[in-house]
Amino acid sequence: MSHGPVPSGAYDIVKYVRGDGWDIGFEQARVAFAVQDDKHIQIYENPNTDVFSDSDIECLDRAITEYGKLSFSELKKQSHDTAYDQADLNESIPIEAIAATFTDGQSLIEHLHN
């Protein structure tokens, strides 16, 4: 998307909850959170963290620590990398393009293909 990459499944749920998405099985989301001012999420219930592994929680905590206090413009700047540049607007970013942004990108790409 124009402001940066967005996980499409999560975006579909947010659109449904705020009222401009399709009803494709997200009814439960409306009791879990609301979208205020088209962009702020108000949580109604605590998440079920039992569905996450320890490493999932570690990654989420790290993302919140590293990115949670950045401004919109700072997040936008960080998300517009070479992988983003290789995708057409509103289309998927090829996994190889994402892998190539890592220091050992070529090794990761080879692993993904094997």
Side-chain angles (χ1 to χ4, degrees):
M1 301 188 78
S2 63
H3 295 301
V6 175
S8 61
Y11 186 49
D12 289 342
I13 294 169
V14 169
K15 288 188 295 185
Y16 172 75
V17 169
R18 75 179 181 201
D20 62 334
W22 296 354
D23 180 359
I24 52 175
F26 301 135
E27 298 85 12
Q28 184 64 28
R30 284 203 171 136
V31 298
F33 70 93
V35 180
Q36 301 172 339
D37 303 322
D38 288 333
K39 58 185 174 184
H40 295 101
I41 294 177
Q42 173 65 47
I43 297 173
Y44 294 144
E45 59 184 44
N46 291 325
N48 177 4
T49 57
D50 292 340
V51 301
F52 298 110
S53 68
D54 289 343
S55 62
D56 290 337
I57 298 292
E58 183 180 331
C59 289
L60 289 167
D61 286 342
R62 182 174 176 191
I64 291 166
T65 299
E66 288 187 28
Y67 303 106
K69 294 190 171 143
L70 295 181
S71 68
F72 175 81
S73 61
E74 290 168 324
L75 285 170
K76 184 175 177 179
K77 182 179 178 182
Q78 287 210 5
S79 69
H80 286 70
D81 58 10
T82 56
Y84 176 85
D85 293 338
Q86 291 184 39
D88 291 331
L89 188 61
N90 297 330
E91 294 297 327
S92 297
I93 298 174
I95 192 70
E96 293 84 2
I98 296 169
T101 65
F102 292 94
T103 304
D104 57 349
Q106 191 54 44
S107 296
L108 181 54
I109 292 168
E110 289 172 19
H111 175 76
L112 292 170
H113 286 282
N114 293 327

